[in-house]
Amino acid sequence: PSSIPLPSPPLLLSTFLHPSPECANYIKVLHRYNTTHLLACGTGAFNPHCAKIRVGHTGQFELEEQSIESGRGRCPYDHNSPVTSTLDRGELYIGLYTDYWENDAALCRLNNQSYTRTERDDRQQLNEPKFIGSVVIPDNNDRDDDKVYFFFTERGTDAEGVNKAVYTRVGRVCANDQGGQRMLVNRWSSFLKTRLICSVAGPNGIDTHFDELEDVFVLKTKDEKNPEIFGLFSTTSAVFQGYAVCVYHMDDVRAAFNGQFAHRERPEHHWTPYEGRVPYPRPGSCASEVNGGGFSGSKEFPDEVLRFVRSHPVMFSPVLPLHRRPVLLQTEPGGRRLTQIAVDRVQAQDGHYHVLYIGTGDSVVLKVITIYNKDTDTIEEVLLEELQVFKVPFPITEIIISAKRQQLYVGSEVGVAQVRLHQCDLYGSECADCCLARDPYCAWDGITCSRYYPAGVYTKRRFRRQDVRHGNAVQLCNGLQIDVGEQYQGAAERQVYGVESNSTLLECTPRSLQARVMWYIQRDPDREEVGGDERVVITTHGLLFLRVRSGDAGVYVCQTVEHGYVHTLLRVTLHVLGGSRLQGLWYKEFLQLIGYGDSQQVEEYCERVWCSGKRRRKTKRRYTQPMEVGERKGRGKGDPHRAPRHTLDN
Ligand SMILES: *[C@@H]1O[C@H](CO)[C@@H](O)[C@H](O)[C@H]1NC(C)=O
Ligand SMILES: *[C@@H]1O[C@H](CO)[C@@H](O)[C@H](O)[C@H]1NC(C)=O
Ligand SMILES: CC(=O)N[C@H]1CO[C@H](CO)[C@@H](O)[C@@H]1O
């Protein structure tokens, strides 16, 4: 091909040109190689190739023909084959099946001079792995101590063939590992691995483990030595289907690798901590100044160290997640399949938050925050938005955040979509709506719900109202708009005409499903709550009179209560007309009769009575504006599956 299409995996553009989809060139490895070039490797119809692509200033891509070379060992043959790679200081670190038959799984480093990898056919090192993620993380300021971490799943190796359980692993090597001199030539001399745990405690004391890693996201922080690691897991249990997100801190990862080695006399024995003497330098450590500088490279390590690391690649302690449990859990039967995760760190007025973007099997991206309550040791999930990214349901295969552009790039087999990280104006035009949304990107600036910037980013910022942790709109928004008691500023006024003995609906739909609706009838000077009975029913669409009576006439107030915030949505004046008086009257004549000569009000009345279906659609669209692609759904709280579902009904 004269050009390798972007962006990354899996790419189907060329399927249209080929009779068989397998023969397309799927780009499986794509990295920024240097300031001017990208490195891309594709399956090339079971004939992997790599090439450099020049990136022009104006965004055009040009394949360097002379740079095309074999991609064997750098790209799988089959586009369905799992692969992960990361490029650091010109070196490519990659986990993949290197051969056509997918017998040889390896974690490798490639550069122009050398090729270092895991041992072939060593099931202790890798056993039917599925590669998910990889990242280079420094340990300290000595670059020779940098470690490469690989995230993958593999089968347990207990008693050959009996235990086929899948475990999630984090494995690591020294970035500067050159292998051994006499043994372990071109093989890692520092490869170690341990288990990543993501589980919930069961009522019977048996934990449910989420062992199948689906995706991993490494959130870089200012301290590059301590990124936060987010794992999206599923469970393969026969009785229970679910997903979980667990967060890991580097302290805990390092503690596991600095802990005891696991040891087993024979494959059918249990793992125990290795109690014998551990050789020096400690197996798995790097040849660096920090480690004493006694070895200029791994080729100088004593054979004893290499032999030990070869026979004890597993650590005894697993890595436990933050708070010892998932931050997000989805265990509802028939719930959504979750496929991808990306995380943005957002500074809000009351601290910083992790906004999780979770891709599903049906083209949706869930935007969620999780809030840990130290006092109760509980985690609250708040679903902020549900973004239908593609119109057709396809699994999300990639989510990339651009902090610079404040955009999300979402990939699936059908294409790539660009979605804004936040669209604060969709939360409504009032302070309370903005606060109750609890979106850390958004705050009430006195006029609109708009992007929140921490103090100092822009000078002369107005006071911003935001409360992500509690969504306490009463405290924040009172004084801006007094909405309790007898004052109803901002509430819509409406007239409704009912015909005696016929049914009448006083329409009032809250913006959020979590809000509780209350109805009052004004009986000067007080008001009375409408309780509802067999004749008057409180429905989700409003107050329904099955057979309205003349005594029902009056002023009705529709209020919602959410997080203690009372919001008056509507004041309706209900007029009840005697059935017999209507006979033989044309509606305009009738209105004139009761004193509504005003033509605008007549039109309104017309619309309400005769065109009510149309009108309802108009008001609904305010909550669900179509996106650049697909649609953006409203907000909600708690479990993603109890999220409000505002549907487009036109
Ligand atoms: C980037 O790499 C390409 C391919 O090796 C090379 O031709 C180019 O000169 C490099 N650019 C810079 C700025 O080093
Ligand atoms: C890679 O190595 C080959 C042979 O040793 C050499 O000809 C080539 O210039 C090297 N390429 C780079 C980018 O260093
Ligand atoms: C105006 C109107 O809709 N009137 C109806 C009220 O209900 C009675 C019986 O339920 C109907 O016969 C009327 O047509």
Side-chain angles (χ1 to χ4, degrees):
S2 62
S3 69
I4 294 185
L6 294 170
S8 75
L11 200 88
L12 259 181
L13 286 188
S14 13
T15 40
F16 303 113
L17 309 175
H18 287 279
S20 157
E22 279 75 38
C23 294
N25 185 25
Y26 293 86
I27 308 302
K28 303 294 286 181
V29 172
L30 182 64
H31 295 287
R32 183 190 295 271
Y33 182 69
N34 59 24
T35 52
T36 54
H37 285 71
L38 302 175
L39 168 69
C41 300
T43 55
F46 294 95
N47 185 12
H49 275 83
C50 292
K52 309 273 169 32
I53 298 168
R54 191 144 55 96
V55 184
H57 289 297
T58 49
Q60 77 276 33
F61 300 100
E62 196 186 314
L63 186 84
E64 300 272 14
E65 297 277 354
Q66 77 283 1
S67 73
I68 299 176
E69 56 188 345
S70 167
R72 258 173 294 158
R74 288 194 281 175
C75 182
Y77 284 74
D78 185 343
H79 69 95
N80 289 316
S81 186
V83 57
T84 176
S85 63
T86 185
L87 191 86
D88 185 68
R89 290 188 284 171
E91 317 226 23
L92 182 71
Y93 301 91
I94 184 163
L96 84 169
Y97 286 85
T98 66
D99 61 327
Y100 176 85
W101 299 106
E102 298 196 2
N103 290 324
D104 179 40
L107 300 172
C108 316
R109 183 197 49 225
L110 300 99
N111 57 25
N112 203 29
Q113 284 83 42
S114 70
Y115 186 93
T116 308
R117 53 164 289 166
T118 44
E119 201 64 74
R120 273 175 199 276
D121 301 319
D122 181 346
R123 285 180 180 271
Q124 254 210 126
Q125 283 195 334
L126 294 172
N127 188 21
E128 296 179 39
K130 188 177 94 182
F131 303 105
I132 307 289
S134 48
V135 61
V136 178
I137 302 175
D139 251 9
N140 44 58
N141 295 330
D142 186 347
R143 297 308 306 258
D144 278 335
D145 235 13
D146 287 4
K147 308 280 194 304
V148 189
Y149 292 84
F150 289 97
F151 300 92
F152 56 99
T153 65
E154 66 173 349
R155 299 224 172 255
T157 53
D158 301 20
E160 214 57 46
V162 176
N163 186 349
K164 292 289 242 177
V166 169
Y167 297 116
T168 291
R169 299 285 197 194
V170 52
R172 79 172 197 193
V173 292
C174 292
N176 71 357
D177 189 346
Q178 299 298 325
Q181 184 71 52
R182 284 173 299 277
M183 59 181 294
L184 292 186
V185 178
N186 293 333
R187 301 289 182 264
W188 300 115
S189 68
S190 58
F191 176 71
L192 297 176
K193 65 180 179 183
T194 192
R195 188 173 167 195
L196 269 188
I197 300 266
C198 184
S199 66
V200 285
N204 46 8
I206 299 168
D207 290 354
T208 298
H209 281 271
F210 295 81
D211 276 323
E212 189 95 46
L213 185 65
E214 300 287 340
D215 192 24
V216 68
F217 185 86
V218 179
L219 180 65
K220 303 242 158 88
T221 61
K222 274 208 197 80
D223 175 6
E224 62 169 346
K225 298 186 274 292
N226 291 300
E228 287 173 282
I229 297 160
F230 292 76
L232 172 65
F233 296 82
S234 66
T235 174
T236 47
S237 148
V239 287
F240 175 79
Q241 176 68 45
Y243 293 87
V245 174
C246 280
V247 185
Y248 304 91
H249 278 177
M250 284 308 295
D251 289 346
D252 297 320
V253 175
R254 292 194 179 103
F257 283 109
N258 292 336
Q260 286 178 297
F261 294 91
H263 179 76
R264 186 165 67 167
E265 279 307 316
R266 307 158 82 111
E268 63 271 24
H269 287 189
H270 277 298
W271 291 102
T272 54
Y274 178 75
E275 303 285 2
R277 197 185 70 87
V278 174
Y280 179 85
R282 184 183 157 91
S285 62
C286 308
S288 67
E289 286 297 325
V290 167
N291 287 331
F295 303 91
S296 66
S298 59
K299 287 191 196 305
E300 291 183 7
F301 284 160
D303 287 354
E304 191 194 9
V305 170
L306 303 185
R307 233 176 271 122
F308 187 94
V309 82
R310 177 78 210 278
S311 58
H312 294 89
V314 189
M315 304 313 298
F316 185 74
S317 296
V319 183
L320 297 178
L322 184 66
H323 309 311
R324 310 232 150 181
R325 82 183 95 141
V327 293
L328 187 136
L329 203 56
Q330 185 213 281
T331 54
E332 252 179 51
R336 277 200 164 110
R337 208 184 118 205
L338 305 183
T339 58
Q340 290 284 309
I341 183 166
V343 183
D344 192 18
R345 195 181 155 93
V346 184
Q347 182 66 47
Q349 189 133 315
D350 57 355
H352 68 257
Y353 290 88
H354 292 142
V355 179
L356 276 49
Y357 294 92
I358 297 173
T360 72
D362 58 354
S363 290
V364 167
V365 172
L366 305 170
K367 177 177 163 185
V368 187
I369 54 170
T370 67
I371 299 171
Y372 179 68
N373 186 329
K374 221 186 252 163
D375 300 332
T376 56
D377 189 32
T378 52
I379 296 169
E380 183 191 3
E381 292 170 20
V382 182
L383 175 64
L384 301 172
E385 287 191 278
E386 202 179 300
L387 306 160
Q388 178 84 46
V389 179
F390 302 102
K391 291 220 189 302
V392 278
F394 267 98
I396 303 292
T397 53
E398 189 80 61
I399 305 180
I400 294 172
I401 293 171
S402 168
K404 189 172 149 194
R405 297 195 161 85
Q406 293 286 291
Q407 300 278 3
L408 203 61
Y409 295 90
V410 185
S412 81
E413 206 173 288
V414 290
V416 178
Q418 172 181 292
V419 183
R420 293 254 308 269
L421 292 178
H422 41 79
Q423 197 142 344
C424 302
D425 52 330
L426 286 189
Y427 291 130
S429 55
E430 279 174 37
C431 177
D433 291 323
C434 192
C435 290
L436 291 171
R438 299 170 73 186
D439 189 326
Y441 292 108
C442 304
W444 180 254
D445 65 7
I447 299 163
T448 57
C449 193
S450 59
R451 177 78 170 100
Y452 171 81
Y453 294 99
V457 172
Y458 294 106
T459 49
K460 288 180 82 178
R461 267 271 143 190
R462 280 188 298 255
F463 174 67
R464 306 296 304 267
R465 286 160 210 261
Q466 187 195 48
D467 178 11
V468 179
R469 184 160 276 269
H470 305 107
N472 189 339
V474 177
Q475 218 170 47
L476 285 176
C477 299
N478 266 352
L480 281 185
Q481 178 208 335
I482 297 146
D483 230 353
V484 283
E486 312 313 319
Q487 286 169 286
Y488 303 110
Q489 285 109 316
E493 298 270 351
R494 208 172 283 170
Q495 311 277 330
V496 168
Y497 298 85
V499 176
E500 197 166 9
S501 299
N502 287 54
S503 66
T504 293
L505 177 69
L506 306 187
E507 235 186 293
C508 180
T509 316
R511 197 159 292 179
S512 152
L513 287 188
Q514 278 73 34
R516 194 158 56 89
V517 178
M518 311 229 281
W519 283 92
Y520 295 94
I521 181 162
Q522 197 72 46
R523 299 214 192 279
D524 285 329
D526 294 326
R527 52 182 198 166
E528 239 172 63
E529 189 176 345
V530 180
D533 51 34
E534 70 280 356
R535 198 178 57 82
V536 184
V537 189
I538 298 171
T539 74
T540 52
H541 297 290
L543 191 62
L544 176 67
F545 294 84
L546 293 176
R547 288 174 312 282
V548 74
R549 291 179 193 151
S550 56
D552 292 329
V555 176
Y556 289 82
V557 177
C558 169
Q559 286 189 336
T560 57
V561 184
E562 189 177 8
H563 278 255
Y565 185 82
V566 181
H567 191 151
T568 300
L569 287 185
L570 188 65
R571 259 164 73 91
V572 203
T573 309
L574 173 65
H575 305 271
V576 180
L577 311 165
S580 56
R581 285 182 56 196
L582 275 176
Q583 301 296 323
L585 274 182
W586 184 238
Y587 81 99
K588 281 192 182 181
E589 294 171 314
F590 151 69
L591 285 167
Q592 244 128 37
L593 191 77
I594 60 168
Y596 282 86
D598 184 294
S599 69
Q600 199 196 324
Q601 273 181 331
V602 171
E603 286 310 318
E604 267 180 32
Y605 177 79
C606 159
E607 210 177 56
R608 201 171 304 126
V609 175
W610 278 270
C611 325
S612 59
K614 202 168 159 193
R615 199 184 156 82
R616 192 169 314 151
R617 278 199 293 277
K618 225 189 260 169
T619 50
K620 268 215 169 164
R621 211 182 304 155
R622 272 177 51 213
Y623 313 124
T624 57
Q625 293 177 353
M627 291 295 302
E628 295 97 319
V629 203
E631 64 183 70
R632 195 159 190 128
K633 291 185 182 179
R635 69 187 164 87
K637 290 170 188 62
D639 187 321
H641 298 281
R642 285 190 284 106
R645 268 148 228 266
H646 303 303
T647 50
L648 287 173
D649 55 1
N650 53 343

